[in-house]
Amino acid sequence: MSSPASPTAPAEAPPRPRLVLTALILGALVCNINLAAANIALPDIGDAFGAGQTALNLVAVGCSLGLAMSVLYLGAVADRYGRKQLLVLGLALTVVVSFFAAFAASIEMLVVARICTGIAAGMAYPVTLSLITALWAPGRQRTLAIALWSAVSATATVIGSVLAGILLLWFWWGAAFFLAVPFAVAALVLVVLFVPSHVAENSDRVDHLGGVLSVFMVACLVLGLSTVFVPTTATFGLILLVSGAVLLLLFGWRQRRARSPLYDLRIARRRMFWAPATGGLIVFGSLMGAMFVGQQFQQNILGYSTLDASLSIIPAGVGLLLVAPHSARLVLARGSRFTMLLGYGFVLLGFITMLFWNTTTPFWWVTVAYLVIGIGAGFAMTPASRAITESTPVRRVGMASATADLQRDLGGSIMQGVLGAILAAGFARSFGTLIAGSDEADSISAQVVAALQASYASAMHVAEQYPQYKDQIVQAAQQSLVDGAIAAYAVGAIAIALGAVVVGIFLPRKERELALVAEYEQEDAGR
């Protein structure tokens, strides 16, 4: 393996550390605002285009899909050619593609624009954590920087939803996609002025074939999970999942043979790498999935305005920010395992709370669920990101930061896709049962049945076309959406429970964690 371009260890902190950290956190904020912008606007988007639930799922998951499918490849490119340079390019591209999303003329164009927004985020987001790891030495300052980065990154999803809810009171749905633009411009200026270039990068060749395989592998897996649970797209989803599995095998084969692998399997096999990565993927994905399903539930079932729906999730952001500094201290005092399990407990409690939502759920009960989930995510995020970066040499930190990002983005894509698909399948199944039990079942055409089962927005369009049956259709649509949402929350709770088992079994206690990290450092120093 060729030697790193800058073999020196990172300084305790970079020059002007507060401005540098502000620039990097703003860069992460941009990406996460874009991830959340669509959720609050989904009912309006569905109404504007008459889109089915599967199409709305793709709009919601498009940004995280674009990020997840590109983050491994672009992380390696940044390590080799310049992290700051790729961050600048990603922020600039974000501004451009935001306009395409805002003025999309069709649901298909909007999905493509969202994926391109995610690819722009793939250029910027992983680099923000890479630069924190490269510019701050291991220890308390780096842990606190990562804690703040993690908290603000996750809170950005709440900020995005709140700001989108406010904008949509006066503007059309496309205004939600302009939210990140001023933050992107501010981050771009700060990055250009204050963030150092070419710190602890490497001179290894980039595995471009592995990068291409990783892009299509993640795309097939995420899109497959987003479509395989829906009856009308189940076959297509199965084909995508099989293709994704084949590409995964090819990717693993390529990484074993490549002279300079895109994803170093030697590092990925480390216990302090893969265990927190898996645990983080589940808990972060569950946070995104809960917000995705919850926004539709609140607006369509509870009758919230876009502002009320966005205000209801503010407690999640409050919980994240309040817990972040305590999470950093708890990691240093008790270790990653204890802190992550504590976070998992809170998130599981939040999902159990959501299982009791119904058509009469009061506003305060909704906010309690989000507050508990936010606290849990706040406890889980710092140890997951820190454990991954601590077990990776600085010259390959792009791989570590890409994996940390995949916890959010691949996890978010998968959980939004799965929970969205469960929501769609549950809605269609419940509505089908109600139609079959109706006195007018024999007189309803197959075309109308398909429209009623497609999504809540589609059912509302049918209700407008048949005013004599409007009340029955609205009532059936609401009941079907409740049934689908409860099924989605139940699946989310099961996923959280399984993730807690993985963390509890495979993450070591604090003393063993410190010993493993020391072993990794000695091993990397000898290579």
Side-chain angles (χ1 to χ4, degrees):
M1 180 180 292
S2 51
S3 61
S6 179
T8 58
E12 186 68 23
R16 297 178 178 176
R18 292 184 179 180
L19 285 172
V20 172
L21 187 58
T22 299
L24 299 178
I25 287 177
L26 271 177
L29 186 78
V30 168
C31 304
N32 284 280
I33 283 179
N34 274 327
L35 289 174
N39 286 346
I40 198 73
L42 282 179
D44 288 350
I45 293 171
D47 184 62
F49 294 112
Q53 188 63 51
T54 300
L56 292 177
N57 293 349
L58 291 176
V59 171
V61 82
C63 187
S64 53
L65 169 61
L67 205 165
M69 63 192 275
S70 63
V71 70
L72 287 178
Y73 191 11
L74 295 176
V77 170
D79 276 351
R80 173 63 180 86
Y81 296 108
R83 300 183 185 115
K84 175 179 176 177
Q85 287 70 22
L86 201 66
L87 175 56
V88 168
L89 181 60
L91 292 171
L93 186 59
T94 295
V95 176
V96 176
V97 295
S98 294
F99 283 86
F100 284 95
F103 295 105
S106 66
I107 195 70
E108 293 80 11
M109 182 177 175
L110 180 56
V111 170
V112 172
R114 292 286 291 164
I115 293 174
C116 291
T117 302
I119 293 173
M123 297 177 181
Y125 191 37
V127 175
T128 57
L129 182 57
S130 295
L131 284 167
I132 288 175
T133 309
L135 294 171
W136 275 266
R140 183 175 180 274
Q141 288 194 42
R142 181 195 282 181
T143 300
L144 290 174
I146 290 174
L148 186 57
W149 175 89
S150 297
V152 174
S153 295
T155 306
T157 60
V158 178
I159 295 172
S161 296
V162 172
L163 293 179
I166 294 172
L167 282 179
L168 293 179
L169 289 176
W170 295 287
F171 302 102
W172 90 116
W173 57 265
F177 301 109
F178 284 126
L179 284 175
V181 172
F183 295 101
V185 173
L188 185 61
V189 173
L190 288 174
V191 168
V192 170
L193 292 178
F194 300 112
V195 175
S197 297
H198 304 298
V199 178
E201 292 165 359
N202 65 48
S203 57
D204 297 339
R205 294 181 60 185
V206 176
D207 178 19
H208 295 291
L209 176 58
V212 173
L213 287 173
S214 73
V215 168
F216 287 101
M217 171 188 73
V218 173
C220 287
L221 291 174
V222 173
L223 290 175
L225 287 170
S226 299
T227 53
V228 73
F229 295 103
V230 182
T232 56
T233 57
T235 301
F236 177 63
L238 184 60
I239 292 172
L240 287 175
L241 287 177
V242 172
S243 301
V246 172
L247 288 169
L248 178 61
L249 293 174
L250 289 174
F251 179 73
W253 171 82
R254 171 63 184 174
Q255 298 315 291
R256 288 186 177 92
R257 293 178 60 88
R259 178 177 299 178
S260 179
L262 180 77
Y263 205 76
D264 192 332
L265 297 181
R266 177 185 61 85
I267 297 173
R269 284 194 295 267
R270 291 174 172 175
R271 189 174 171 185
M272 289 304 301
F273 189 98
W274 72 264
T278 303
L281 182 146
I282 294 172
V283 75
F284 300 153
S286 297
L287 172 65
M288 296 295 294
M291 293 177 65
F292 167 61
V293 176
Q295 289 298 313
Q296 297 181 69
F297 187 100
Q298 289 157 231
Q299 293 186 59
N300 293 328
I301 302 303
L302 300 180
Y304 290 2
S305 67
T306 56
L307 179 59
D308 290 337
S310 62
L311 290 176
S312 70
I313 63 175
I314 287 180
V318 172
L320 280 161
L321 287 176
L322 290 179
V323 162
H326 300 290
S327 175
R329 287 193 289 268
L330 201 57
V331 168
L332 295 171
R334 300 292 299 272
S336 300
R337 179 179 182 271
F338 178 88
T339 311
M340 283 197 74
L341 285 176
L342 180 63
Y344 261 95
F346 277 102
V347 175
L348 180 59
L349 179 61
F351 267 84
I352 292 173
T353 301
M354 287 179 165
L355 288 173
F356 293 94
W357 285 3
N358 54 50
T359 55
T360 61
T361 299
F363 184 86
W364 68 267
W365 187 243
V366 173
T367 61
V368 165
Y370 283 125
L371 174 64
V372 173
I373 290 177
I375 290 173
F379 276 121
M381 292 178 71
T382 300
S385 298
R386 176 182 178 269
I388 292 170
T389 55
E390 292 286 296
S391 59
T392 308
V394 174
R395 68 178 183 274
R396 296 306 303 270
V397 74
M399 170 184 166
S401 61
T403 303
D405 296 337
L406 279 174
Q407 290 179 123
R408 294 166 177 78
D409 310 315
L410 181 58
S413 298
I414 290 175
M415 292 303 290
Q416 282 189 201
V418 170
L419 297 189
I422 297 296
L423 173 66
F427 178 86
R429 187 179 301 110
S430 179
F431 216 131
T433 301
L434 293 173
I435 291 173
S438 170
D439 295 336
E440 291 82 16
D442 294 337
S443 62
I444 304 176
S445 68
Q447 183 178 5
V448 172
V449 169
L452 289 171
Q453 292 180 294
S455 70
Y456 185 89
S458 179
M460 293 301 99
H461 283 173
V462 174
E464 294 299 326
Q465 295 170 11
Y466 298 92
Q468 67 273 32
Y469 300 114
K470 183 175 181 178
D471 291 341
Q472 296 96 310
I473 292 174
V474 170
Q475 184 177 2
Q478 289 183 335
Q479 182 59 52
S480 299
L481 193 60
V482 169
D483 293 342
I486 297 303
Y489 293 140
V491 170
I494 292 170
I496 287 294
L498 292 175
V501 171
V502 171
V503 171
I505 293 176
F506 294 105
L507 262 185
R509 297 182 185 274
K510 180 187 175 184
E511 294 75 15
R512 181 56 180 157
E513 175 184 351
L514 294 175
L516 284 174
V517 171
E519 290 175 15
Y520 300 152
E521 290 177 353
Q522 292 179 356
E523 180 183 340
D524 295 330
R527 292 180 65 86

mmCIF file of all heavy atoms in Angstrom, residues 40-82:
data_model
loop_
_atom_site.group_PDB
_atom_site.id
_atom_site.type_symbol
_atom_site.label_atom_id
_atom_site.label_comp_id
_atom_site.label_asym_id
_atom_site.label_seq_id
_atom_site.Cartn_x
_atom_site.Cartn_y
_atom_site.Cartn_z
ATOM 1 N N ILE A 40 -42.642 16.814 4.741
ATOM 2 C CA ILE A 40 -43.745 17.674 5.133
ATOM 3 C C ILE A 40 -44.592 18.069 3.921
ATOM 4 O O ILE A 40 -45.781 18.387 4.054
ATOM 5 C CB ILE A 40 -43.204 18.942 5.846
ATOM 6 C CG1 ILE A 40 -44.317 19.625 6.657
ATOM 7 C CG2 ILE A 40 -42.575 19.900 4.879
ATOM 8 C CD1 ILE A 40 -44.686 18.885 7.894
ATOM 9 N N ALA A 41 -43.973 18.037 2.730
ATOM 10 C CA ALA A 41 -44.688 18.452 1.522
ATOM 11 C C ALA A 41 -45.358 17.291 0.792
ATOM 12 O O ALA A 41 -46.043 17.508 -0.218
ATOM 13 C CB ALA A 41 -43.720 19.160 0.561
ATOM 14 N N LEU A 42 -45.202 16.059 1.276
ATOM 15 C CA LEU A 42 -45.719 14.893 0.547
ATOM 16 C C LEU A 42 -47.221 14.959 0.270
ATOM 17 O O LEU A 42 -47.647 14.672 -0.859
ATOM 18 C CB LEU A 42 -45.372 13.607 1.302
ATOM 19 C CG LEU A 42 -43.931 13.105 1.170
ATOM 20 C CD1 LEU A 42 -43.735 11.843 1.986
ATOM 21 C CD2 LEU A 42 -43.561 12.857 -0.287
ATOM 22 N N PRO A 43 -48.059 15.316 1.250
ATOM 23 C CA PRO A 43 -49.484 15.402 0.923
ATOM 24 C C PRO A 43 -49.775 16.405 -0.199
ATOM 25 O O PRO A 43 -50.595 16.137 -1.085
ATOM 26 C CB PRO A 43 -50.115 15.839 2.256
ATOM 27 C CG PRO A 43 -49.188 15.296 3.296
ATOM 28 C CD PRO A 43 -47.819 15.492 2.697
ATOM 29 N N ASP A 44 -49.120 17.571 -0.179
ATOM 30 C CA ASP A 44 -49.314 18.562 -1.241
ATOM 31 C C ASP A 44 -48.791 18.053 -2.580
ATOM 32 O O ASP A 44 -49.400 18.300 -3.634
ATOM 33 C CB ASP A 44 -48.610 19.871 -0.881
ATOM 34 C CG ASP A 44 -49.313 20.629 0.237
ATOM 35 O OD1 ASP A 44 -50.446 20.237 0.590
ATOM 36 O OD2 ASP A 44 -48.733 21.590 0.770
ATOM 37 N N ILE A 45 -47.652 17.359 -2.557
ATOM 38 C CA ILE A 45 -47.093 16.801 -3.790
ATOM 39 C C ILE A 45 -48.030 15.733 -4.351
ATOM 40 O O ILE A 45 -48.296 15.693 -5.558
ATOM 41 C CB ILE A 45 -45.698 16.211 -3.522
ATOM 42 C CG1 ILE A 45 -44.712 17.335 -3.184
ATOM 43 C CG2 ILE A 45 -45.197 15.420 -4.732
ATOM 44 C CD1 ILE A 45 -43.367 16.836 -2.692
ATOM 45 N N GLY A 46 -48.545 14.878 -3.472
ATOM 46 C CA GLY A 46 -49.485 13.851 -3.921
ATOM 47 C C GLY A 46 -50.733 14.459 -4.535
ATOM 48 O O GLY A 46 -51.246 13.979 -5.555
ATOM 49 N N ASP A 47 -51.207 15.544 -3.941
ATOM 50 C CA ASP A 47 -52.397 16.209 -4.466
ATOM 51 C C ASP A 47 -52.104 16.896 -5.798
ATOM 52 O O ASP A 47 -52.919 16.871 -6.716
ATOM 53 C CB ASP A 47 -52.908 17.224 -3.440
ATOM 54 C CG ASP A 47 -54.206 17.887 -3.865
ATOM 55 O OD1 ASP A 47 -55.202 17.162 -4.026
ATOM 56 O OD2 ASP A 47 -54.220 19.114 -4.056
ATOM 57 N N ALA A 48 -50.913 17.504 -5.922
ATOM 58 C CA ALA A 48 -50.568 18.240 -7.142
ATOM 59 C C ALA A 48 -50.429 17.319 -8.347
ATOM 60 O O ALA A 48 -50.837 17.661 -9.462
ATOM 61 C CB ALA A 48 -49.271 19.017 -6.927
ATOM 62 N N PHE A 49 -49.853 16.129 -8.134
ATOM 63 C CA PHE A 49 -49.584 15.222 -9.251
ATOM 64 C C PHE A 49 -50.542 14.035 -9.294
ATOM 65 O O PHE A 49 -50.469 13.224 -10.219
ATOM 66 C CB PHE A 49 -48.149 14.698 -9.186
ATOM 67 C CG PHE A 49 -47.102 15.762 -9.389
ATOM 68 C CD1 PHE A 49 -46.263 16.141 -8.357
ATOM 69 C CD2 PHE A 49 -46.954 16.384 -10.620
ATOM 70 C CE1 PHE A 49 -45.287 17.120 -8.536
ATOM 71 C CE2 PHE A 49 -45.989 17.365 -10.815
ATOM 72 C CZ PHE A 49 -45.158 17.731 -9.770
ATOM 73 N N GLY A 50 -51.414 13.899 -8.280
ATOM 74 C CA GLY A 50 -52.274 12.725 -8.210
ATOM 75 C C GLY A 50 -51.457 11.451 -8.102
ATOM 76 O O GLY A 50 -51.807 10.406 -8.669
ATOM 77 N N ALA A 51 -50.356 11.518 -7.349
ATOM 78 C CA ALA A 51 -49.395 10.417 -7.302
ATOM 79 C C ALA A 51 -49.852 9.319 -6.359
ATOM 80 O O ALA A 51 -50.527 9.566 -5.360
ATOM 81 C CB ALA A 51 -48.036 10.950 -6.838
ATOM 82 N N GLY A 52 -49.459 8.088 -6.683
ATOM 83 C CA GLY A 52 -49.709 6.952 -5.814
ATOM 84 C C GLY A 52 -48.724 6.925 -4.658
ATOM 85 O O GLY A 52 -47.726 7.648 -4.650
ATOM 86 N N GLN A 53 -48.996 6.039 -3.678
ATOM 87 C CA GLN A 53 -48.151 5.982 -2.488
ATOM 88 C C GLN A 53 -46.724 5.557 -2.829
ATOM 89 O O GLN A 53 -45.758 6.059 -2.250
ATOM 90 C CB GLN A 53 -48.752 5.005 -1.474
ATOM 91 C CG GLN A 53 -48.053 5.007 -0.127
ATOM 92 C CD GLN A 53 -48.153 6.348 0.584
ATOM 93 O OE1 GLN A 53 -49.235 6.897 0.735
ATOM 94 N NE2 GLN A 53 -47.024 6.879 1.019
ATOM 95 N N THR A 54 -46.569 4.647 -3.796
ATOM 96 C CA THR A 54 -45.220 4.211 -4.172
ATOM 97 C C THR A 54 -44.415 5.365 -4.753
ATOM 98 O O THR A 54 -43.227 5.531 -4.441
ATOM 99 C CB THR A 54 -45.296 3.051 -5.184
ATOM 100 O OG1 THR A 54 -46.000 1.956 -4.591
ATOM 101 C CG2 THR A 54 -43.900 2.583 -5.569
ATOM 102 N N ALA A 55 -45.039 6.189 -5.596
ATOM 103 C CA ALA A 55 -44.346 7.347 -6.162
ATOM 104 C C ALA A 55 -43.963 8.338 -5.072
ATOM 105 O O ALA A 55 -42.855 8.902 -5.085
ATOM 106 C CB ALA A 55 -45.224 8.029 -7.213
ATOM 107 N N LEU A 56 -44.855 8.547 -4.107
ATOM 108 C CA LEU A 56 -44.538 9.450 -2.996
ATOM 109 C C LEU A 56 -43.390 8.892 -2.151
ATOM 110 O O LEU A 56 -42.536 9.638 -1.670
ATOM 111 C CB LEU A 56 -45.774 9.663 -2.118
ATOM 112 C CG LEU A 56 -46.932 10.449 -2.755
ATOM 113 C CD1 LEU A 56 -48.112 10.522 -1.798
ATOM 114 C CD2 LEU A 56 -46.485 11.844 -3.152
ATOM 115 N N ASN A 57 -43.364 7.567 -1.982
ATOM 116 C CA ASN A 57 -42.246 6.951 -1.263
ATOM 117 C C ASN A 57 -40.930 7.248 -1.960
ATOM 118 O O ASN A 57 -39.901 7.520 -1.319
ATOM 119 C CB ASN A 57 -42.440 5.442 -1.167
ATOM 120 C CG ASN A 57 -43.613 5.054 -0.280
ATOM 121 O OD1 ASN A 57 -44.165 5.894 0.424
ATOM 122 N ND2 ASN A 57 -43.992 3.797 -0.332
ATOM 123 N N LEU A 58 -40.934 7.205 -3.304
ATOM 124 C CA LEU A 58 -39.704 7.455 -4.058
ATOM 125 C C LEU A 58 -39.278 8.920 -3.953
ATOM 126 O O LEU A 58 -38.079 9.217 -3.922
ATOM 127 C CB LEU A 58 -39.909 7.066 -5.528
ATOM 128 C CG LEU A 58 -40.052 5.564 -5.797
ATOM 129 C CD1 LEU A 58 -40.346 5.317 -7.267
ATOM 130 C CD2 LEU A 58 -38.791 4.816 -5.368
ATOM 131 N N VAL A 59 -40.243 9.834 -3.907
ATOM 132 C CA VAL A 59 -39.908 11.249 -3.693
ATOM 133 C C VAL A 59 -39.241 11.418 -2.329
ATOM 134 O O VAL A 59 -38.221 12.099 -2.194
ATOM 135 C CB VAL A 59 -41.163 12.141 -3.790
ATOM 136 C CG1 VAL A 59 -40.838 13.564 -3.358
ATOM 137 C CG2 VAL A 59 -41.698 12.142 -5.216
ATOM 138 N N ALA A 60 -39.824 10.781 -1.316
ATOM 139 C CA ALA A 60 -39.298 10.914 0.041
ATOM 140 C C ALA A 60 -37.920 10.286 0.176
ATOM 141 O O ALA A 60 -37.034 10.821 0.839
ATOM 142 C CB ALA A 60 -40.261 10.277 1.038
ATOM 143 N N VAL A 61 -37.724 9.141 -0.465
ATOM 144 C CA VAL A 61 -36.479 8.402 -0.298
ATOM 145 C C VAL A 61 -35.423 8.816 -1.320
ATOM 146 O O VAL A 61 -34.258 8.444 -1.189
ATOM 147 C CB VAL A 61 -36.758 6.881 -0.396
ATOM 148 C CG1 VAL A 61 -36.830 6.409 -1.844
ATOM 149 C CG2 VAL A 61 -35.713 6.079 0.362
ATOM 150 N N GLY A 62 -35.806 9.617 -2.327
ATOM 151 C CA GLY A 62 -34.897 9.927 -3.435
ATOM 152 C C GLY A 62 -33.595 10.565 -3.007
ATOM 153 O O GLY A 62 -32.516 10.182 -3.475
ATOM 154 N N CYS A 63 -33.655 11.545 -2.107
ATOM 155 C CA CYS A 63 -32.448 12.250 -1.685
ATOM 156 C C CYS A 63 -31.516 11.323 -0.903
ATOM 157 O O CYS A 63 -30.310 11.268 -1.159
ATOM 158 C CB CYS A 63 -32.815 13.466 -0.842
ATOM 159 S SG CYS A 63 -31.407 14.523 -0.425
ATOM 160 N N SER A 64 -32.079 10.591 0.053
ATOM 161 C CA SER A 64 -31.246 9.668 0.818
ATOM 162 C C SER A 64 -30.737 8.534 -0.062
ATOM 163 O O SER A 64 -29.628 8.018 0.150
ATOM 164 C CB SER A 64 -32.018 9.113 2.017
ATOM 165 O OG SER A 64 -33.245 8.552 1.628
ATOM 166 N N LEU A 65 -31.507 8.151 -1.080
ATOM 167 C CA LEU A 65 -31.041 7.137 -2.026
ATOM 168 C C LEU A 65 -29.832 7.633 -2.803
ATOM 169 O O LEU A 65 -28.813 6.937 -2.926
ATOM 170 C CB LEU A 65 -32.179 6.763 -2.995
ATOM 171 C CG LEU A 65 -31.783 5.915 -4.213
ATOM 172 C CD1 LEU A 65 -31.216 4.577 -3.767
ATOM 173 C CD2 LEU A 65 -32.972 5.723 -5.140
ATOM 174 N N GLY A 66 -29.936 8.866 -3.348
ATOM 175 C CA GLY A 66 -28.812 9.422 -4.101
ATOM 176 C C GLY A 66 -27.558 9.533 -3.262
ATOM 177 O O GLY A 66 -26.446 9.257 -3.722
ATOM 178 N N LEU A 67 -27.733 9.922 -1.995
ATOM 179 C CA LEU A 67 -26.593 10.037 -1.093
ATOM 180 C C LEU A 67 -26.009 8.668 -0.770
ATOM 181 O O LEU A 67 -24.798 8.445 -0.847
ATOM 182 C CB LEU A 67 -27.036 10.756 0.186
ATOM 183 C CG LEU A 67 -25.951 11.502 0.982
ATOM 184 C CD1 LEU A 67 -26.603 12.442 1.975
ATOM 185 C CD2 LEU A 67 -25.010 10.559 1.695
ATOM 186 N N ALA A 68 -26.893 7.720 -0.428
ATOM 187 C CA ALA A 68 -26.428 6.391 -0.021
ATOM 188 C C ALA A 68 -25.705 5.676 -1.157
ATOM 189 O O ALA A 68 -24.688 5.009 -0.931
ATOM 190 C CB ALA A 68 -27.623 5.561 0.459
ATOM 191 N N MET A 69 -26.209 5.805 -2.392
ATOM 192 C CA MET A 69 -25.607 5.077 -3.509
ATOM 193 C C MET A 69 -24.279 5.678 -3.958
ATOM 194 O O MET A 69 -23.484 5.001 -4.618
ATOM 195 C CB MET A 69 -26.585 5.017 -4.686
ATOM 196 C CG MET A 69 -26.959 6.345 -5.281
ATOM 197 S SD MET A 69 -28.362 6.247 -6.429
ATOM 198 C CE MET A 69 -27.534 5.796 -7.939
ATOM 199 N N SER A 70 -23.998 6.917 -3.578
ATOM 200 C CA SER A 70 -22.771 7.565 -4.046
ATOM 201 C C SER A 70 -21.731 7.768 -2.962
ATOM 202 O O SER A 70 -20.571 8.057 -3.259
ATOM 203 C CB SER A 70 -23.112 8.932 -4.663
ATOM 204 O OG SER A 70 -23.670 9.800 -3.699
ATOM 205 N N VAL A 71 -22.111 7.591 -1.687
ATOM 206 C CA VAL A 71 -21.258 8.049 -0.597
ATOM 207 C C VAL A 71 -19.958 7.246 -0.478
ATOM 208 O O VAL A 71 -18.900 7.803 -0.175
ATOM 209 C CB VAL A 71 -22.061 8.040 0.728
ATOM 210 C CG1 VAL A 71 -22.352 6.628 1.199
ATOM 211 C CG2 VAL A 71 -21.341 8.828 1.791
ATOM 212 N N LEU A 72 -19.985 5.946 -0.729
ATOM 213 C CA LEU A 72 -18.757 5.152 -0.637
ATOM 214 C C LEU A 72 -17.756 5.570 -1.709
ATOM 215 O O LEU A 72 -16.565 5.776 -1.436
ATOM 216 C CB LEU A 72 -19.087 3.665 -0.776
ATOM 217 C CG LEU A 72 -19.764 2.985 0.411
ATOM 218 C CD1 LEU A 72 -20.069 1.532 0.077
ATOM 219 C CD2 LEU A 72 -18.898 3.078 1.646
ATOM 220 N N TYR A 73 -18.241 5.674 -2.916
ATOM 221 C CA TYR A 73 -17.390 6.043 -4.045
ATOM 222 C C TYR A 73 -16.813 7.446 -3.852
ATOM 223 O O TYR A 73 -15.597 7.676 -3.975
ATOM 224 C CB TYR A 73 -18.217 5.956 -5.318
ATOM 225 C CG TYR A 73 -17.436 6.049 -6.619
ATOM 226 C CD1 TYR A 73 -16.043 5.972 -6.648
ATOM 227 C CD2 TYR A 73 -18.106 6.193 -7.826
ATOM 228 C CE1 TYR A 73 -15.348 6.036 -7.846
ATOM 229 C CE2 TYR A 73 -17.418 6.253 -9.024
ATOM 230 C CZ TYR A 73 -16.040 6.179 -9.032
ATOM 231 O OH TYR A 73 -15.349 6.251 -10.213
ATOM 232 N N LEU A 74 -17.677 8.385 -3.522
ATOM 233 C CA LEU A 74 -17.230 9.771 -3.391
ATOM 234 C C LEU A 74 -16.347 9.969 -2.163
ATOM 235 O O LEU A 74 -15.485 10.850 -2.151
ATOM 236 C CB LEU A 74 -18.444 10.700 -3.346
ATOM 237 C CG LEU A 74 -19.269 10.736 -4.641
ATOM 238 C CD1 LEU A 74 -20.502 11.605 -4.475
ATOM 239 C CD2 LEU A 74 -18.430 11.228 -5.809
ATOM 240 N N GLY A 75 -16.557 9.158 -1.117
ATOM 241 C CA GLY A 75 -15.672 9.231 0.038
ATOM 242 C C GLY A 75 -14.239 8.874 -0.330
ATOM 243 O O GLY A 75 -13.280 9.520 0.117
ATOM 244 N N ALA A 76 -14.078 7.852 -1.177
ATOM 245 C CA ALA A 76 -12.741 7.461 -1.634
ATOM 246 C C ALA A 76 -12.146 8.522 -2.553
ATOM 247 O O ALA A 76 -10.945 8.815 -2.488
ATOM 248 C CB ALA A 76 -12.813 6.119 -2.359
ATOM 249 N N VAL A 77 -12.977 9.102 -3.415
ATOM 250 C CA VAL A 77 -12.506 10.169 -4.297
ATOM 251 C C VAL A 77 -12.016 11.358 -3.480
ATOM 252 O O VAL A 77 -10.971 11.957 -3.782
ATOM 253 C CB VAL A 77 -13.639 10.598 -5.263
ATOM 254 C CG1 VAL A 77 -13.256 11.864 -6.017
ATOM 255 C CG2 VAL A 77 -13.947 9.472 -6.250
ATOM 256 N N ALA A 78 -12.735 11.684 -2.413
ATOM 257 C CA ALA A 78 -12.325 12.808 -1.557
ATOM 258 C C ALA A 78 -11.008 12.519 -0.853
ATOM 259 O O ALA A 78 -10.143 13.398 -0.751
ATOM 260 C CB ALA A 78 -13.423 13.095 -0.529
ATOM 261 N N ASP A 79 -10.836 11.301 -0.360
ATOM 262 C CA ASP A 79 -9.583 10.932 0.302
ATOM 263 C C ASP A 79 -8.386 11.086 -0.631
ATOM 264 O O ASP A 79 -7.282 11.418 -0.198
ATOM 265 C CB ASP A 79 -9.650 9.474 0.777
ATOM 266 C CG ASP A 79 -10.326 9.344 2.137
ATOM 267 O OD1 ASP A 79 -10.582 10.382 2.774
ATOM 268 O OD2 ASP A 79 -10.598 8.205 2.549
ATOM 269 N N ARG A 80 -8.613 10.834 -1.915
ATOM 270 C CA ARG A 80 -7.508 10.849 -2.873
ATOM 271 C C ARG A 80 -7.275 12.220 -3.495
ATOM 272 O O ARG A 80 -6.137 12.696 -3.602
ATOM 273 C CB ARG A 80 -7.788 9.824 -3.989
ATOM 274 C CG ARG A 80 -6.797 9.849 -5.145
ATOM 275 C CD ARG A 80 -5.395 9.484 -4.662
ATOM 276 N NE ARG A 80 -4.429 9.512 -5.758
ATOM 277 C CZ ARG A 80 -3.786 10.601 -6.158
ATOM 278 N NH1 ARG A 80 -4.009 11.767 -5.557
ATOM 279 N NH2 ARG A 80 -2.930 10.548 -7.157
ATOM 280 N N TYR A 81 -8.340 12.900 -3.886
ATOM 281 C CA TYR A 81 -8.188 14.121 -4.689
ATOM 282 C C TYR A 81 -8.461 15.415 -3.930
ATOM 283 O O TYR A 81 -8.198 16.492 -4.454
ATOM 284 C CB TYR A 81 -9.094 14.053 -5.919
ATOM 285 C CG TYR A 81 -8.728 12.932 -6.856
ATOM 286 C CD1 TYR A 81 -9.528 11.806 -6.976
ATOM 287 C CD2 TYR A 81 -7.551 12.991 -7.605
ATOM 288 C CE1 TYR A 81 -9.192 10.769 -7.830
ATOM 289 C CE2 TYR A 81 -7.203 11.953 -8.459
ATOM 290 C CZ TYR A 81 -8.025 10.847 -8.560
ATOM 291 O OH TYR A 81 -7.672 9.817 -9.399
ATOM 292 N N GLY A 82 -9.010 15.332 -2.733
ATOM 293 C CA GLY A 82 -9.217 16.559 -1.969
ATOM 294 C C GLY A 82 -10.592 16.619 -1.342
ATOM 295 O O GLY A 82 -11.600 16.719 -2.044
#
